[in-house]
Amino acid sequence: MKTINTTFDLNLLRVLVALAATSNVTQAAHALDMSQSGFSTALARLRQVLDDPLFVRTPVGMSPTPRAVQMIATAQDVLSRVAHGVLEKPQFDPTTAHTVFRLSMADVAEVVFLPKLLRHLQQHAPRATVTCTSMDTETLKQAMALGEIDLALGYFPDLDSQSSFQQRLYFHTYACMLRRGHPLAAQPVTEQSYCEIGHVVVSLPARTNGLFETFLKKRSIQRRIVLETPHHLSLPAIVESTDLMATVPLATGARFVQLGMVELLRLPFTPPSFAVQQHWHPLVHHDARSQWLRRQVAMLFNVESDEWRGLQTSLYGSVTQPSTRSTKRTSTPTPKPASPGLCATT
């Protein structure tokens, strides 16, 4: 294969195509928004590189030589490919795209994100498929770097700004669950009753559970743990059929309340808050498809449309949200107000 001359200026092909189309130097220069002298200089450079006059003056104007005739169609194709395949920004049409959005989140986050997100995608990206997986931090970092994960949604304290872009959606906190009709649900939970009752907890590596365990340890609060399970989604069935208590992220507990299986109560202290974020790799930061997906997530889940904010206020009052560390973040678009939040038994 012949080596391409890397010093060749592709803009010279524009000169060739324009002159072939007009057969007139003045008109060709005007079509390219060039001066006539500049056009003539460029034509001279092209003639020198190709060692051919390319165009000669005839009674009908500037006529192409056989070498030029041979080149014109190829030059047009090259310029078109560069314009559309290189310079033109790729577009993403969600209404027609057959695509797979690959998400990573914990099961507790699936309860919060997937119902609302899927309803939205079925309306606005009807041919899209969603896959969801949960993985440890290092595996997730590698999967994002390989383009195998589009977005990580939820609480990921170990995904720092050096390995991913981050956008905070809103802050979240915790509440406790008891079965409906539990005697303890008829009165405020005290720190003593919280410590004495049997608890079912989600074992590590659940990230939100790790944050809450650290909080309890700093306050020297010791729970009486009866059961440990790796799954959040089994909690409502366990709590419903026992006298055990479970402490869960507020949104998850609110979803379980909607199932009519449990009651949600205020913890006997102000629990910690954590940032719910979407994370993506620099690999897809400028990708039109990924940008569209991130805009949908930011529109659906944000401070203004946080459907659990009212519930949090009813349980704990006005809670001052902590500031997040400095991250690579994009701005959240202004959303439309969401429907009123869920009211739970307190």
Side-chain angles (χ1 to χ4, degrees), residues 110-241:
E110 289 187 14
V111 173
V112 176
F113 285 109
L114 287 184
K116 191 173 182 179
L117 179 59
L118 286 174
R119 285 197 304 269
H120 182 83
L121 292 179
Q122 286 173 347
Q123 181 179 358
H124 298 281
R127 293 174 173 82
T129 302
V130 176
T131 64
C132 192
T133 185
S134 179
M135 54 187 69
D136 62 79
T137 301
E138 291 306 313
T139 304
L140 176 57
K141 286 181 179 180
Q142 183 178 9
M144 293 173 71
L146 293 174
E148 297 172 353
I149 294 294
D150 297 307
L151 278 182
L153 295 173
Y155 175 59
F156 294 90
D158 298 322
L159 282 182
D160 54 51
S161 59
Q162 300 303 313
S163 61
S164 69
F165 284 86
Q166 304 172 8
Q167 181 182 22
R168 188 182 69 215
L169 302 174
Y170 50 78
F171 281 100
H172 210 41
T173 190
Y174 302 83
C176 56
M177 298 190 314
L178 290 171
R179 64 172 173 82
R180 295 178 66 86
H182 193 292
L184 194 58
Q187 55 191 336
V189 179
T190 66
E191 192 164 313
Q192 179 178 350
S193 62
Y194 183 78
C195 293
E196 291 176 349
I197 193 172
H199 287 261
V200 52
V201 302
V202 176
S203 56
L204 295 175
R207 301 174 184 89
T208 53
N209 187 59
L211 173 67
F212 189 71
E213 292 290 344
T214 300
F215 171 82
L216 293 180
K217 185 175 181 180
K218 288 181 179 180
R219 292 178 60 100
S220 300
I221 297 175
Q222 294 185 343
R223 292 177 292 179
R224 184 170 67 87
I225 297 175
V226 175
L227 171 67
E228 289 191 26
T229 174
H231 307 294
H232 279 92
L233 298 185
S234 62
L235 293 181
I238 294 170
V239 171
E240 181 193 33
S241 58

Side-chain angles (χ1 to χ4, degrees), residues 30-66:
H30 179 73
L32 297 181
D33 197 23
M34 298 173 64
S35 66
Q36 185 168 334
S37 61
F39 185 91
S40 297
T41 299
L43 179 59
R45 288 176 54 203
L46 184 60
R47 285 167 165 167
Q48 182 179 11
V49 169
L50 298 178
D51 192 26
D52 190 277
L54 298 176
F55 293 88
V56 296
R57 195 175 300 280
T58 69
V60 294
M62 299 295 290
S63 297
T65 66

